[in-house]
Amino acid sequence: MAHKVTLIPGDGIGPELAAAARRCIDATGVKIEWVEALAGQDALDRFGTLLPDATIESIKKTKVALKGPITTPIGSGFRSVNVAIRHALDLYACVRPSKSYVGVKSHYKDIDLVVVRENSEDLYAGIEFEQGKPETKELISQIENFSKKKIREGSGISIKPISIAATERIVKFAFQYALQNKRRKITAITKANIMKFTDGLFLKVAREVAKEFEGKIAFEEALVDNMAMQLVQKPHNYDVLVLPNLYGDILSDLCAGLIGGLGIAPGANIGDGIAVFEAVHGSAPKYKGLNKVNPTAMILSGVLMLRYLKEEEAALRLENAVRSVIAEGKSVTYDLKPDPKDPSAVGTKEMADAIILKLTK
Ligand code: NAD
């Protein structure tokens, strides 16, 4: 029976990447019934909203989606379509593997890290108070009353909620992911020494959850500032990282940098029985429609999707096809050439063609 999957092309470079990934996934032979749904600029042009209800309903129905990147509008009421999708579907776990591929320019070799980022709260909760607004002044005066501390005139306020329940589920998710994927260690990363009631809570809950997995998966803790340095100096010492939302966002880009950049970093947003797969990178508007950017991150997001759909054999074949096209270094996009101006670089579509050729040979 065919798997039903919602395909959201997104905007900017999204549609060309989504088309490339779809063709590669179909070429594995796995039967997928794609249900196209819009979000981002196209949705705004056609339906007057960046995120139509029908798109959310489609993902709720198919339970699985592959999504192209979407531009975050500046100055509109919408914070971010991407964050809105994660919140609407309670996709609480963001999983971002960073794996080295031979042939990709990088300062490091044999990197194999997985970031598990809490996706539903922390400073991304979207609870913000603009500088100068009456409600912000009122909030500040109440906080000053409670805390007996002064907040500087002209401040804006962003709220950082971290709960026991959300921490418990993300840390459990990370341990279960580690067990299922035969990983060796979890590192819980916070700034618990400074933010005792939010990061401190995250760490306390993580320690409790870790006890349930004692003897099965190793557990350690680290401070986020130190971790940024450790990852640059000794990335091979680490395995699965579990973090609150903001640190997860920042360190997953750092990890993408370790493997040679955003062009090859895939991701998944997972909730209970529902998942949306997407590249770590954004919509790179300046490359829109040029058939120029690297489809690898989007295709590898498709590999994660195939694994989620329990199509392990097809996932492995597609990953190996991507790996060998990159290793050969011939039919690859400009960013994977030693010199980005190399005229032999191919376009998005042609790199996908080369991957499909490997799959079907
Ligand atoms: P970006 O990731 O879109 O692009 C930054 C740069 O990275 C590009 O200029 C390009 O040089 C390179 N790059 C990105 N993807 C590439 C690819 N596939 N191949 C080759 N090079 C690639 O980041 P940005 O410019 O900060 O963001 C653009 C828009 O995307 C913003 O509106 C941002 O909010 C949004 N965004 C969306 C998502 C998402 O949809 N999940 C994620 C991040 C950013």
Side-chain angles (χ1 to χ4, degrees):
M1 216 175 64
H3 302 281
K4 273 196 172 180
V5 173
T6 300
L7 182 69
I8 304 171
D11 58 29
I13 54 173
E16 45 204 294
L17 296 180
R22 176 181 179 160
R23 286 198 301 123
C24 290
I25 294 164
D26 284 342
T28 63
V30 171
K31 293 267 169 294
I32 306 243
E33 188 184 324
W34 301 97
V35 183
E36 276 214 34
L38 295 186
Q41 193 57 45
D42 277 3
L44 187 65
D45 295 344
R46 284 181 52 187
F47 305 117
T49 168
L50 286 161
L51 182 55
D53 289 345
T55 298
I56 293 294
E57 285 313 309
S58 176
I59 308 172
K60 280 186 180 162
K61 225 151 110 197
T62 60
K63 306 276 188 212
V64 179
L66 182 65
K67 175 188 155 297
I70 295 173
T71 310
T72 302
I74 296 171
S76 93
F78 234 99
R79 220 169 219 93
S80 151
V81 178
N82 306 301
V83 175
I85 292 174
R86 291 170 204 161
H87 281 205
L89 301 168
D90 200 16
L91 304 170
Y92 60 84
C94 178
V95 182
R96 291 177 168 175
S98 288
K99 210 167 17 165
S100 296
Y101 287 95
V102 173
V104 180
K105 275 174 292 176
S106 164
H107 296 294
Y108 301 88
K109 275 203 306 214
D110 302 325
I111 299 288
D112 186 7
L113 291 160
V114 181
V115 168
V116 177
R117 161 189 173 195
E118 204 290 322
N119 234 354
S120 72
E121 50 184 27
D122 191 5
L123 283 161
Y124 279 69
I127 311 168
E128 295 201 286
F129 296 87
E130 194 178 341
Q131 179 280 125
K133 287 270 169 77
E135 61 270 26
T136 310
K137 288 186 180 157
E138 191 185 322
L139 178 71
I140 288 177
S141 97
Q142 288 205 17
I143 294 172
E144 287 180 340
N145 262 342
F146 283 132
S147 67
K148 307 286 172 238
K149 290 202 171 125
K150 190 93 193 104
I151 293 175
R152 191 169 288 132
E153 181 73 31
S155 293
I157 304 277
S158 297
I159 302 288
K160 175 183 164 103
I162 289 201
S163 69
I164 295 175
T167 306
E168 217 167 62
R169 71 180 178 174
I170 192 67
V171 180
K172 275 196 177 145
F173 179 96
F175 271 98
Q176 269 147 9
Y177 175 93
L179 274 180
Q180 278 160 14
N181 291 279
K182 305 194 170 40
R183 312 292 304 207
R184 61 193 156 88
K185 181 170 77 171
I186 299 273
T187 308
I189 300 162
T190 62
K191 191 73 185 166
N193 55 335
I194 303 293
M195 280 157 283
K196 297 189 193 307
F197 302 141
T198 48
D199 287 27
L201 179 79
F202 189 99
L203 183 58
K204 187 164 166 275
V205 172
R207 285 175 183 159
E208 285 303 311
V209 173
K211 283 185 198 152
E212 293 172 35
F213 294 86
E214 227 166 59
K216 293 185 186 133
I217 299 282
F219 174 75
E220 66 178 12
E221 25 190 270
L223 294 174
V224 64
D225 44 348
N226 179 252
M227 195 63 199
M229 186 190 72
Q230 295 292 337
L231 280 171
V232 171
Q233 290 199 321
K234 305 174 201 157
H236 302 103
N237 285 0
Y238 300 93
D239 188 25
V240 177
L241 317 177
V242 64
L243 317 88
N245 210 335
L246 179 65
Y247 309 142
D249 193 18
I250 296 168
L251 288 195
S252 59
D253 266 36
L254 189 154
C255 291
L258 297 177
I259 57 163
L262 286 172
I264 55 167
N269 299 291
I270 301 178
D272 289 326
I274 189 159
V276 176
F277 297 83
E278 63 178 338
V280 173
H281 64 71
S283 58
K286 69 177 177 193
Y287 292 112
K288 177 184 170 162
L290 300 181
N291 186 40
K292 190 168 163 70
V293 292
N294 189 348
T296 303
M298 187 82 182
I299 296 170
L300 290 177
S301 301
V303 168
L304 298 180
M305 185 185 87
L306 287 171
R307 293 218 159 93
Y308 181 85
L309 293 171
K310 307 222 174 325
E311 298 285 359
E312 177 58 39
E313 186 270 335
L316 197 63
R317 270 192 298 121
L318 181 51
E319 188 179 5
N320 285 338
V322 172
R323 195 193 308 276
S324 74
V325 167
I326 293 177
E328 282 171 16
K330 235 168 52 192
S331 300
V332 294
T333 46
Y334 73 99
D335 56 310
L336 293 178
K337 291 282 183 185
D339 171 10
K341 293 205 176 78
D342 186 335
S344 73
V346 302
T348 309
K349 185 178 165 300
E350 290 69 29
M351 184 164 173
D353 289 343
I355 292 166
I356 291 167
L357 194 66
K358 292 269 177 224
L359 271 172
T360 48
K361 249 207 273 195

